[in-house]
C-alpha cells in the first residue's frame, strides 16, 4: 500500500490481495468491523467480536475457536505500539465455485488492515454538525438487520446525494419513513429526558458505539427507549447526536434547516466517549 502507516494481514500473512473467486467479492458474503485503537488496545473489542461472530452465523460463514484465536492475534499484532489507529477486520466466506450455491466446504478468508486514525474537524465534536434527510430509503430485511455485512450499496447511494462540505451526514429512513441511522453513524435523540434510539429490528446496523452509549446512559440514570419513530417525530427531539466507534459522538445542531442545541444529555454522554478514547 502507498500509505506507510497502513499494514494488511491476509490470513495472518502480509498481503494485499485475495482470490478473485472469493465470495465476499462476488456476492458480498462477508462481514467487517472498524475498530478504534487507543494506546495499543482495540477499544470495545469484545462488542466488535460479538457482532462479527453474529454476522458470520447469519451469513453461514464458519467461525470457530481457531479462527477467533487467529483473528485476535492479528488484531493484537497490528494494534501493538499504536497510540491511535483504526483496524478494519473483514471475514469473507472464502473462495468457492461460480454460482450462488455454496460449496460443501469453504475456508473463510481473514483480512485485518491498519490505517491512520481519520482526522475529523474538531468543530464536529465541539460545535456540532449539519445533517440532511436522504432521499434513498433503506430496504426492510430482518435477516440482515443489525449486522455489518459487506454490501454497503445502500450507504454508497445515499452518500452520493450531496457534495456540499457543510453537510456532514445523511439520515436514512426505511420504506415507511421511519428513522433508522446515518450513512456512517447511528442517530440518537433526547425527548423530555428520555434517550431515544431507533429500532433496528428490520434494517440498519446495530452500532458498537450506539450500544456503548445506551449502556452509559443507563449508568447515568437516563431513561432509554428503543422506538419505531418517523422522521417528523424524531425531529421533535430536544437534542440529537450521531455516533460511531471511530469518530465518537457528534452533536447535531441542524437537520434539514431545523436547529438544535447541544443539550445536557449529549454533553454527559460525550464526556463518557472522551474518557473511553483517552483510556490508558
Amino acid at each position: 500500500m502507498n500509505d506507510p502507516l497502513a499494514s494488511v494481514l491476509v490470513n495472518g500473512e502480509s498481503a494485499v490481495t485475495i482470490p478473485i473467486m472469493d465470495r465476499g467479492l462476488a456476492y458480498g458474503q462477508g462481514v467487517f468491523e472498524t475498530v478504534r485503537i487507543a494506546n495499543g488496545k482495540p477499544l470495545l473489542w469484545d462488542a466488535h467480536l460479538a457482532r462479527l461472530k453474529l454476522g458470520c452465523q447469519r451469513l453461514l460463514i464458519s467461525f470457530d475457536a481457531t479462527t477467533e484465536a487467529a483473528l485476535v492475534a492479528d488484531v493484537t499484532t497490528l494494534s501493538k505500539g499504536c497510540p491511535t489507529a483504526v483496524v478494519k477486520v473483514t471475514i469473507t466466506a472464502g473462495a468457492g465455485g461460480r454460482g450462488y450455491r455454496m460449496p460443501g466446504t469453504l475456508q473463510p478468508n481473514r483480512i485485518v488492515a491498519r490505517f491512520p486514525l481519520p482526522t475529523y474537524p474538531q468543530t464536529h465534536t465541539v460545535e456540532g454538525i449539519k445533517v440532511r434527510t436522504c432521499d434513498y430509503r433503506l430496504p426492510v430485511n430482518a435477516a440482515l438487520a443489525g449486522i455489518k455485512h459487506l454490501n454497503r450499496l445502500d450507504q454508497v447511494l445515499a452518500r452520493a446525494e450531496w457534495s456540499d462540505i457543510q453537510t456532514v451526514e445523511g439520515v436514512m429512513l426505511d420504506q415507511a419513513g421511519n428513522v433508522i441511522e446515518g450513512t456512517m453513524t447511528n442517530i440518537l435523540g433526547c425527548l423530555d429526558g428520555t434517550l431515544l434510539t431507533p429500532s433496528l429490528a428490520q434494517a440498519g446496523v446495530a452500532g458498537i458505539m450506539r450500544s456503548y452509549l445506551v449502556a452509559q446512559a443507563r449508568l447515568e440514570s437516563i431513561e432509554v427507549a428503543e422506538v419505531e419513530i418517523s422522521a417528523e417525530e424524531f425531529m421533535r427531539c430536544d437534542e440529537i447526536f450521531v455516533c460511531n466507534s471511530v469518530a465518537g459522538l457528534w452533536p447535531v445542531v441542524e437537520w434539514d434547516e431545523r436547529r438544535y442545541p447541544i443539550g445536557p444529555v449529549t454533553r454527559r454522554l460525550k464526556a463518557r466517549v472522551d474518557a473511553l478514547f483517552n483510556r490508558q
Side-chain angles (χ1 to χ4, degrees), residues 12 43 63 81 91 94 96 107 143 157 160 170 185 199 218 228 235 242 262 266:
L43 298 180
F63 193 97
I91 304 291
Q107 180 61 45
L157 295 176
T185 61
S199 171
R218 292 189 170 119
E228 187 175 281
M235 283 182 168
V242 297
I262 302 177
T266 300

Side-chain angles (χ1 to χ4, degrees), residues 130-134 231 235 254-260:
K130 174 182 176 180
V131 304
R132 70 187 296 276
T133 303
C134 295
M235 283 182 168
E254 184 176 346
W255 180 1
D256 289 351
E257 301 182 352
R258 183 163 180 164
R259 303 286 299 182
Y260 297 89

Side-chain angles (χ1 to χ4, degrees), residues 55-77:
C56 286
Q57 181 183 10
R58 293 259 195 98
L59 299 187
L60 308 178
I61 298 171
S62 174
F63 193 97
D64 57 19
T66 301
T67 301
E68 179 176 341
L71 176 62
V72 170
D74 291 345
V75 172
T76 299
T77 297

Side-chain angles (χ1 to χ4, degrees), residues 15-224:
V16 292
T17 61
I18 60 171
I20 62 170
M21 298 301 288
D22 189 283
R23 294 180 68 89
L25 173 64
Y27 309 119
Q29 191 179 2
V31 292
F32 72 101
E33 296 289 329
T34 308
V35 185
R36 180 164 174 147
I37 307 301
N39 298 307
K41 303 293 184 181
L43 298 180
L44 305 175
W45 172 246
D46 288 346
H48 280 290
L49 181 60
R51 186 175 64 178
L52 191 77
K53 292 165 74 172
L54 175 63
C56 286
Q57 181 183 10
R58 293 259 195 98
L59 299 187
L60 308 178
I61 298 171
S62 174
F63 193 97
D64 57 19
T66 301
T67 301
E68 179 176 341
L71 176 62
V72 170
D74 291 345
V75 172
T76 299
T77 297
L78 292 189
S79 303
K80 188 176 181 180
C82 293
T84 61
V86 171
V87 167
K88 182 176 180 180
V89 175
T90 304
I91 304 291
T92 75
R98 198 185 72 82
Y100 297 142
R101 182 178 182 275
M102 291 181 60
T105 302
L106 279 175
Q107 180 61 45
N109 280 317
R110 187 179 75 251
I111 306 164
V112 181
R114 186 185 69 224
F115 303 93
L117 185 70
T119 53
Y120 298 109
Q122 188 178 16
T123 53
H124 288 7
T125 301
V126 177
E127 300 176 13
I129 64 169
K130 174 182 176 180
V131 304
R132 70 187 296 276
T133 303
C134 295
D135 295 325
Y136 186 91
R137 298 291 181 94
L138 285 166
V140 170
N141 189 339
L144 297 180
I147 65 174
K148 203 163 187 180
H149 54 80
L150 291 181
N151 190 332
R152 297 289 102 197
L153 280 178
D154 295 323
Q155 289 69 32
V156 169
L157 295 176
R159 183 59 184 85
E161 291 181 7
W162 80 94
S163 57
D164 64 288
I165 60 174
Q166 290 76 28
T167 301
V168 176
E169 177 62 305
V171 179
M172 301 186 71
L173 315 180
D174 65 12
Q175 299 296 310
N178 294 314
V179 174
I180 301 297
E181 61 189 358
T183 63
M184 64 174 186
T185 61
N186 286 115
I187 184 167
L188 298 92
C190 191
L191 181 63
D192 298 329
T194 298
L195 184 66
L196 303 180
T197 178
S199 171
L200 304 176
Q202 300 296 320
V205 175
I208 300 305
M209 183 56 71
R210 168 185 178 268
S211 298
Y212 176 78
L213 290 174
V214 165
Q216 296 304 303
R218 292 189 170 119
L219 290 176
E220 293 269 356
S221 298
I222 299 169
E223 184 177 351
V224 179

